[in-house]
Amino acid sequence: MRTTQIGNLVQLTWLPDFFPVNCYLVVEENELTLIDAALPFSVKGIISAAAKLNKPVTRIVLTHAHGDHVGALDELKRRLPAAKVYISERDAALLRGDRSLRAGEPRMPIKGSVPKKLKTRPDVVLQEGDLIGSLQAISTPGHTPGSMSFIDTRTRAIIAGDAFQAFHRTAVSGTVVPLFPFPAMATWNKELALASAIKLIELSPAVLAVGHGNLLKEPMEAMKQAIRRSEQTLRKAGS
């Protein structure tokens, strides 16, 4: 496991050179918020990283319900029973293994690995604008119907889940990066993903933290380029 820290944000990365999977610890005054639960074998690394920060993990916040973001959730909840689990109201259904679409949603199949045997259920379901410690919830659908990002109101760091990726190249969810196409392959709706990416850049993030790839300081130019490529790709697909 590789650890990278910028200010109050600690990135934990597994398989960094092959198939990087990240989760994050957000350092609050007296506690820690874990964002995403990575892979089933990530438990030891997460617990160890939290112990080094010498603060308890009181919240487990999920950006979305794909398997590489919730893999260690059951075991983490067993070891940290007091930690509350948060996820968007929409992706709470995916967490239960329910891939069905709701009225008004684009009629496209939900893609990616959705858990089938996960026992943990959320303690709190999130809506746009909710506050979780220093974090504010941002609805960023596209990768999944209920994907959420979170902005640290102290630092303007955005933890974006798979709304962007940053391995080999910064890209909007749904844009294929040839050397790492997997987030694009698991994206539900590219048009909504693009709209969500634009929504995030309008917040002028100081740091972009994603599910796959390195932490990006001063990410605006990389995000703009990624958005332009997404727009070009969608225009070509529609022509």
Side-chain angles (χ1 to χ4, degrees):
M1 182 189 76
R2 184 185 71 192
T3 302
T4 309
Q5 184 166 359
I6 298 178
N8 296 316
L9 185 63
V10 181
Q11 181 192 65
L12 310 178
T13 306
W14 288 265
L15 309 174
D17 299 320
F18 170 62
F19 193 114
V21 173
N22 301 325
C23 68
Y24 295 89
L25 289 166
V26 177
V27 182
E28 300 278 3
E29 185 175 355
N30 298 310
E31 59 198 345
L32 302 171
T33 298
L34 174 67
I35 300 183
D36 286 336
L39 300 161
F41 57 77
S42 302
V43 176
K44 182 178 178 181
I46 293 170
I47 297 293
S48 175
K52 289 177 182 177
L53 293 167
N54 199 30
K55 295 182 180 184
V57 176
T58 60
R59 309 178 188 94
I60 302 171
V61 179
L62 304 173
T63 61
H64 63 290
H66 279 158
D68 56 340
H69 293 255
V70 303
L73 182 60
D74 276 348
E75 182 60 17
L76 285 169
K77 184 63 174 174
R78 188 184 74 81
R79 295 197 190 191
L80 305 168
K84 291 186 177 181
V85 176
Y86 299 68
I87 195 170
S88 73
E89 185 278 329
R90 178 62 185 89
D91 262 29
L94 288 186
L95 200 64
R96 300 190 300 269
D98 180 2
R99 291 177 180 263
S100 60
L101 295 169
R102 293 183 177 179
E105 291 180 341
R107 298 289 101 184
M108 307 175 74
I110 295 172
K111 299 178 181 179
S113 171
V114 173
K116 296 179 180 178
K117 298 181 180 179
L118 204 63
K119 296 177 182 178
T120 302
R121 296 292 176 258
D123 299 288
V124 181
V125 291
L126 295 169
Q127 305 288 345
E128 167 100 339
D130 285 352
L131 289 173
I132 313 102
S134 296
L135 303 173
Q136 186 169 30
I138 309 161
S139 178
T140 49
H143 190 66
T144 65
S147 287
M148 275 194 156
S149 301
F150 301 90
I151 186 166
D152 191 320
T153 56
R154 302 167 296 182
T155 64
R156 292 192 0 265
I158 285 181
I159 303 93
D162 286 352
F164 284 87
Q165 70 178 74
F167 188 51
H168 292 299
R169 189 177 78 199
T170 303
V172 174
S173 185
T175 301
V176 175
V177 175
L179 293 174
F180 193 66
F182 309 106
M185 293 166 61
T187 295
W188 167 61
N189 186 281
K190 295 178 182 180
E191 290 79 11
L192 285 175
L194 173 58
S196 291
I198 293 169
K199 182 177 182 178
L200 290 179
I201 202 171
E202 289 174 347
L203 297 173
S204 300
V207 174
L208 179 66
V210 298
H212 307 281
N214 293 339
L215 282 167
L216 298 179
K217 293 182 180 179
E218 300 180 0
M220 292 287 286
E221 187 55 39
M223 293 171 74
K224 288 177 182 177
Q225 291 179 10
I227 287 168
R228 285 195 292 268
R229 281 192 291 265
S230 177
E231 290 171 336
Q232 290 167 0
T233 299
L234 288 175
R235 277 199 299 269
K236 288 179 182 177
S239 61

